Amino acid sequence: MAIGIGIAGAGTVGGSLLRRLLEEHAVIEVKTGLDLEVRRVAVRDLSKSRPGIPADIITDDVMALVSDPEVALVVEVMGGLEPAGELVLASLRAGKPVITANKELIAARGPELFAAAADAGVPLLFEAAVGGGIPIIRPLTETLAGEQVDRVLGIVNGTTNYILTSMADDGVGYQEALAAAQRLGYAEPDPTADVSGADAAAKAAILAGLAFGIWVAPDRIHTEGITDITFADFKSAKQLGFVIRLLAVAERRPDGVSVRVHPVMLPVDHPLAAIRGATNAIYIKGSSVGELLFAGPGAGGEPTATAVLGDVIDAARKYLSGSQVAPAIKVEPGDVVDFGKVDTRWYLRLEVTDSPGVLSQIASAFADAGVSLGLVRQEGRGDSATLVLVTHTAPEAAQQAAVATLRALGVVETVASAIRVESEEA
Ligand code: NAP
Ligand code: HSE
C-alpha cells in the first residue's frame, strides 16, 4: 500500500528530501518495504523552476496538505513560525503524523505541539531540528529516557562553527565565511538567526527540554552570538592554548535548570575543540551512563534530509501498523536559574595606559567584585599596553560587576574583548 507524503518546502532541505524520495523510491522500498509516494509539495513561489518535481503536485497552499485525503504524512521543511505552526497543528488535529526540521517552531511552541500530538495519538517527529544529520532526539527520548542527564554541552550551529573555524584556521574574513556558509546551504534563510545565537538557543531549549523534562523558553536563555569575535581574539586564544566556539550549555542544578548560549574559549584538548566546519557535536553527561559524545554533519541539505527521511520512515511504519502513539515527550515548566548566579570564567583583553599603578587598580576592580585572577599577561606598546586576563571561576554577576568597574577606570582605554572560558578549573 502506498503512503502519501505531503511536503511543505522544497528549498535546501525539502529539495534534498524530494530528490531522495523521488529518485531513490525503489531503493527505499527494497530496504524498508515502504512505498512512499510524494503526493503534494507546497512552496511559496510557483514561478520557480523545480526540475524533477511533477508540476501537478506543486501548490502554494500549504493547508492543502491537511485537506488532501491522499496525504497521510505531513513533512514541514519550510521554516518560520507561521504558517508552519498552523500547518503542524492542523495536521496533528486531522490525525496526520508530522515530521518537521523546524527548531524555531518546536522551541517556541514545543509543549503545546507535543500535547496536540498526544491528544491526536499521532507522532510529531523532529530529529532534524537539532544537529542536522546527527541522531540526537531519538537517543534522548528513547535510549536515554531512563537516564538522569546532568549536563549537555553542544556545538549546535553549523554556520557559526564554519565561520569561526574558517576565520581561525584559514584566515578567512567574517563576511566571506558567512557568504560561503550561505552558499553551502548551512545558514538559515535569514542568517541573523545563526550569527546572533538564536538558532543555537532554540536547539538548546529543545535539548534541555528533552534531557531534563523542563521546558525553558528561548527568551529565558542567555544568548550571545559571534559577531564581536575578531582576529585578535583568535590570536590570543591560540597563545593561551584555546580555540573559540559558540557553545550551548544546559545544566541541571539543585536550584533548577540553567541554559545559555555564547562564544567560549575551550582548551585545545577539550573534546569539542576538535569540531570544525559545519560539523556539530553534543556532549551529554548522565549520572549512570557517564559521558557520551554525538558528532556529525550539523547542517546542509543532504545530511538534514537523511534525518527527515528517517523520521518519515518511522512515521510510515507506525502508520501502517496502526500503532500511532505519540512519542512520550513530557515537559513541564520548572525553575530556571538566573544567569547571574551561574559560575563562569572570563578571558578579557584590555587596552590600558602603560603607567605605574595601573595593574593594582585593575586587580582591585576584580578583588572588590570577589573575582580572583588566574592569568595576567601584558604587552607594552609605548604609552599604552594590551592586557590579557583570565579570571578564576566566580558567579557571572560578579564577573560582570568587575568588568563594569574596569570600563569606568580612567586607565582602561577599552575593554576590547570579553569571552567566557569553558574548562574545568585545575
Ligand atoms: P529554504 O532553503 O529557505 O527553503 C524553504 C522552502 O520553504 C522553500 O521551498 C520555500 O518556497 C518554502 N516556503 C517558505 N515559506 C513558505 C510559505 N509561506 N508557504 C509555502 N512554502 C514556503 O530553507 P531550508 O534551509 O531548507 O530550511 C527549512 C527548514 O529546515 C527550516 O526550519 C530550517 O531551520 C530547517 N533546517 C535547515 C537545515 C539546513 O542546513 N538548511 C538544517 C536543519 C534544519 P520557495 O522555494 O518558493 O521559496
Ligand atoms: N542554520 C543551521 C545551522 C542549520 O547552521 O546549524 C541546521 O540547523
Side-chain angles (χ1 to χ4, degrees):
M1 174 182 133
I3 300 177
I5 319 278
I7 303 176
T12 304
V13 178
S16 292
L17 177 70
L18 276 157
R19 188 194 61 72
R20 303 272 283 277
L21 285 168
L22 295 170
E23 291 177 14
E24 298 171 14
H25 176 271
V27 178
I28 293 170
E29 187 163 8
V30 168
K31 215 171 157 198
T32 66
L34 296 167
D35 177 6
L36 303 176
E37 244 183 55
V38 181
R39 291 267 162 79
R40 238 171 228 274
V41 177
V43 296
R44 183 171 32 202
D45 181 356
L46 285 176
S47 70
K48 275 189 195 169
S49 149
R50 307 194 192 257
I53 307 176
D56 60 337
I57 65 168
I58 300 180
T59 174
D60 61 358
D61 173 14
V62 289
M63 297 312 278
L65 273 51
V66 184
S67 55
D68 186 339
E70 299 220 310
V71 170
L73 313 180
V74 172
V75 179
E76 185 279 301
V77 280
M78 60 184 171
L81 292 177
E82 291 298 349
E86 188 190 356
L87 170 67
V88 169
L89 211 48
S91 302
L92 293 171
R93 286 180 178 151
K96 298 190 180 192
V98 173
I99 294 98
T100 178
N102 192 334
K103 54 273 165 136
E104 185 187 4
L105 178 65
I106 296 290
R109 296 177 61 181
E112 175 196 356
L113 299 176
F114 302 153
D119 286 349
V122 293
L124 167 62
L125 304 176
F126 51 95
E127 185 59 74
V130 181
I134 307 172
I136 184 65
I137 303 298
R138 253 183 208 81
L140 274 172
T141 52
E142 295 181 9
T143 326
L144 299 172
E147 178 71 13
Q148 181 182 305
V149 177
D150 296 320
R151 195 157 198 242
V152 181
L153 287 187
I155 293 174
V156 290
N157 183 270
T159 301
T160 46
N161 207 55
Y162 179 86
I163 294 172
L164 291 174
T165 52
S166 298
M167 289 177 77
D169 303 341
D170 307 321
V172 178
Y174 173 87
Q175 288 300 345
E176 198 186 327
L178 172 58
Q182 290 180 284
R183 215 168 38 245
L184 292 163
Y186 303 151
E188 294 301 301
D190 176 359
T192 312
D194 297 293
V195 298
S196 69
D199 177 80
K203 292 163 177 168
I206 297 171
L207 289 173
L210 302 184
F212 308 136
I214 291 177
W215 200 255
V216 181
D219 62 4
R220 304 279 320 264
I221 298 176
H222 178 89
T223 305
E224 292 173 31
I226 64 159
T227 47
D228 292 336
I229 308 285
T230 63
F231 280 115
D233 296 322
F234 292 117
K235 192 173 158 207
S236 288
K238 199 169 179 185
Q239 285 166 350
L240 296 170
F242 291 127
V243 296
I244 301 176
R245 298 286 183 268
L246 182 71
L247 205 65
V249 183
E251 290 164 314
R252 182 203 297 278
R253 298 168 30 128
D255 50 346
V257 164
S258 145
V259 189
R260 55 198 162 101
V261 169
H262 51 71
V264 296
M265 291 222 179
L266 281 178
V268 285
D269 57 359
H270 191 286
L272 295 179
I275 304 303
R276 294 157 49 90
T279 303
N280 281 192
I282 296 123
Y283 162 95
I284 293 179
K285 192 164 183 197
S287 61
S288 302
V289 75
E291 297 175 300
L292 298 168
L293 187 65
F294 299 82
E302 288 299 319
T304 307
T306 293
V308 177
L309 184 54
D311 278 350
V312 169
I313 289 167
D314 185 8
R317 283 183 174 140
K318 289 187 173 114
Y319 176 80
L320 276 187
S321 74
S323 67
Q324 287 200 53
V325 286
I329 297 179
K330 217 167 167 309
V331 288
E332 310 277 351
D335 291 330
V336 180
V337 179
D338 182 67
F339 185 49
K341 293 185 180 160
V342 173
D343 282 338
T344 56
R345 281 176 78 197
W346 282 40
Y347 148 92
L348 293 154
R349 187 162 47 81
L350 316 177
E351 301 300 331
V352 298
T353 52
D354 198 359
S355 54
V358 171
L359 272 180
S360 73
Q361 287 187 52
I362 288 168
S364 296
F366 285 98
D368 293 348
V371 178
S372 73
L373 287 170
L375 177 142
V376 179
R377 182 177 288 174
Q378 180 174 345
E379 291 163 22
R381 287 187 289 106
D383 290 343
S384 62
T386 299
L387 209 56
V388 169
L389 312 168
V390 179
T391 69
H392 281 306
T393 301
E396 170 73 17
Q399 308 272 15
Q400 289 191 16
V403 175
T405 307
L406 289 183
R407 288 190 203 278
L409 287 179
V411 294
V412 175
E413 290 165 9
T414 171
V415 178
S417 180
I419 301 174
R420 293 174 192 84
V421 174
E422 193 70 29
S423 69
E424 307 300 324
E425 286 256 41

